[in-house]
Amino acid sequence: MTQNLSGKRILLIIGGGIAAYKSLDLIRRLRERGAAVRCVMTQAAQHFVTPLAAGALSADHVFTDLFDRQDEQDVGHIRLARACDLIVVAPATADLMAKAANGLANDLASAVLLATDRPVLMAPAMNPAMWSHPATVRNRATLSADGVHLVGPNRGEMAESGEAGEGRMAEPLEIAAAVAALLDTGPKPLAGRKIIVTSGPTQEPIDPVRYIANRSSGKQGHAIAAALARLGADVRLVSGPVAIPDPAGVAVTHVETARQMRDAVEALLPADAAIFVAAVADWRADTEAGEKIKKAAADGPPTLRMVENPDILAGIGHHKRRPWLVVGFAAETQNLLANAAAKLKKKGADFIVANDVSLDSGVGARGVMGGDRNRVRIVSKAGVDEWPEMSKDEVAARLAALVAERLKTIAV
Ligand code: CTP
């Protein structure tokens, strides 16, 4: 993805959190890409970084006070809120998110957020307990419904407490990428197209604490969702449990089991295309124990009886409301092409993107699942197209272009 932001004006609102130090780096990253950056800092932010530093890095005046007579006369908070292409809030603290969700405007940052008619991207950063608190969960839902975009937070250790969990601000490069995605003015051949993507593993419960899953990281599926969104598609991602953030500009439904994934996908029909990247568990335990299975139970280790999960791809491939284009993935360790061709037919897909995950493929199952690179072949009725080894982002971009090409002939 190109990340040229030349000529773009970004208003960066720096909230009061320890992650504010990363926002100084973000200013540099955005300017490196050609953007002009102007900063607003909350009172709390100034406990962590100074307006002097933000001003030096942005090469612009830093705005801090709603009631600054000079600033109000020169620019004014309404103009400040609108004289930009995008507002980025980083770090977006629990407090700033709560204010924005509820339309409060008692300081410059919140007044700007209320007065703006520009897109807003927030990079939340807070303690994991604050992030998962019902109040923040409510505020996030409100902000999403209001059209505010989020990037992150990521999982990891918190700077101040050493606690691990979700709440760490996205890295400056991730935020810069999200900015580029939102401001992207490239061609939009998929505008008006609704596309469903599944991604990640599924988790099939054994008892309240145990489950069966696999090594899928969701990287390839999420990259495909992001690539389709960049081409203008209305992307509906259905994701199993993954450790990576939701892609920017994509509506995500989070599920755990194969059956939940199937229900979520069916509820999203009709769609123009559906791409099944998820590594769905083929089997689940036929019953989920209501209580944790104890080791000391009478007869030694329990025997798990497995039953087959619904095949989501096959269900949609043969559905009466089948999307125009149905794409499946196949991870094979042997007879890649024969198996992929058989799957194409059995599952009713137009394409199978076949991964060779055998150990001698160069990438290998451990390499593909969780790694950043992939080598695929596109199997269709027309034959086999072999793509060289490339990054998962490149595979995603090429696949998105292929989807756009295929849908071109079909009326929106
Ligand atoms: N898939 C699905 N639902 C399932 C299993 C698989 O939607 N219950 C989809 C995957 O998302 C992928 C494709 O089917 O697009 C291929 O999955 P794979 O596990 O390779 O195929 P299987 O049908 O399980 O065949 P095999 O076990 O023989 O490899």
Side-chain angles (χ1 to χ4, degrees):
M1 187 194 16
T2 63
Q3 288 194 3
N4 184 358
L5 296 173
S6 62
K8 300 295 182 193
R9 297 161 307 160
I10 292 165
L11 184 71
L12 173 62
I13 297 180
I14 305 179
I18 188 77
Y21 77 92
K22 290 202 227 173
S23 304
L24 296 180
D25 189 37
L26 176 62
I27 299 172
R28 288 184 43 223
R29 301 297 182 181
L30 293 171
R31 292 195 67 206
E32 264 167 23
R33 287 163 177 71
V37 181
R38 173 174 268 186
C39 297
V40 166
M41 288 175 71
T42 63
Q43 286 292 318
Q46 295 170 55
H47 290 293
F48 296 94
V49 293
T50 65
L52 192 65
L57 288 165
S58 64
D60 199 348
H61 181 69
V62 175
F63 296 79
T64 55
D65 192 353
L66 182 57
F67 303 108
D68 184 306
R69 229 180 35 207
Q70 195 62 47
D71 282 356
E72 275 304 303
Q73 201 173 340
D74 291 348
V75 181
H77 64 278
I78 305 288
R79 259 225 352 254
L80 194 57
R82 295 181 184 169
C84 60
D85 298 296
L86 176 73
I87 295 184
V88 178
V89 188
T93 58
D95 179 71
L96 256 179
M97 291 177 72
K99 279 184 176 158
N102 291 287
L104 299 190
N106 62 349
D107 65 0
L108 181 61
S110 53
V112 162
L113 287 170
L114 192 61
T116 193
D117 56 358
R118 302 287 136 158
V120 176
L121 172 69
M122 292 190 171
M126 66 195 74
N127 174 281
M130 293 166 87
W131 176 249
S132 55
H133 191 284
T136 308
V137 172
R138 264 195 317 274
N139 292 334
R140 271 149 64 185
T142 305
L143 289 167
S144 291
D146 290 348
V148 171
H149 304 274
L150 292 187
V151 52
N154 294 341
R155 289 191 151 273
E157 245 177 50
M158 298 295 115
E160 74 274 36
S161 62
E163 251 174 284
E166 212 170 331
R168 228 168 94 136
M169 189 168 89
E171 295 303 318
L173 286 178
E174 292 174 274
I175 301 174
V179 167
L182 281 171
L183 292 178
D184 179 17
T185 50
K188 305 286 174 212
L190 289 173
R193 300 295 191 182
K194 179 173 163 191
I195 303 184
I196 301 169
V197 179
T198 69
S199 182
T202 62
Q203 288 180 353
E204 310 296 333
I206 296 169
D207 67 16
V209 299
R210 301 181 178 97
Y211 58 81
I212 299 167
N214 58 65
R215 295 184 190 282
S216 170
S217 64
K219 282 183 185 171
Q220 185 64 82
H222 280 52
I224 289 168
L228 292 164
R230 280 200 294 279
L231 296 188
D234 168 13
V235 181
R236 310 302 177 94
L237 176 64
V238 182
S239 175
V242 293
I244 56 175
D246 292 350
V250 169
V252 188
T253 310
H254 294 274
V255 299
E256 283 181 1
T257 67
R259 285 171 297 170
Q260 289 167 355
M261 186 173 275
R262 177 206 48 202
D263 294 346
V265 167
E266 285 190 348
L268 288 167
L269 291 176
D272 295 286
I275 305 182
F276 296 87
V277 199
V280 183
D282 287 321
W283 309 283
R284 65 174 186 273
D286 72 339
T287 51
E288 179 186 348
E291 305 293 339
K292 185 182 168 201
I293 302 170
K294 298 299 286 179
K295 193 166 47 189
D299 319 314
T303 305
L304 285 182
R305 222 170 50 117
M306 308 289 272
V307 291
E308 212 170 308
N309 264 329
D311 189 315
I312 308 169
L313 165 56
I316 299 299
H318 296 113
H319 204 277
K320 54 181 189 305
R321 289 193 292 166
R322 182 188 189 278
W324 282 105
L325 189 66
V326 174
V327 179
F329 270 64
E332 304 288 353
T333 55
Q334 50 189 344
N335 301 333
L336 180 119
L337 293 181
N339 281 332
K343 253 172 221 178
L344 194 65
K345 217 159 151 193
K346 192 175 100 201
K347 301 202 179 200
D350 299 286
F351 293 111
I352 292 286
V353 182
N355 281 116
D356 185 354
V357 293
S358 63
L359 283 176
D360 55 9
S361 67
V363 191
R366 293 284 186 102
V368 171
M369 290 191 137
D372 292 318
R373 299 191 69 76
N374 209 351
R375 194 162 74 92
V376 302
R377 277 170 251 203
I378 309 293
V379 183
S380 70
K381 256 198 275 181
V384 180
D385 193 6
E386 199 160 327
W387 292 0
E389 188 194 314
M390 54 184 109
S391 73
K392 288 185 173 175
D393 284 338
E394 287 164 322
V395 170
R398 263 179 91 151
L399 191 65
L402 181 65
V403 169
E405 183 61 36
R406 274 309 187 96
L407 288 180
K408 208 164 67 183
T409 52
I410 294 151
V412 177

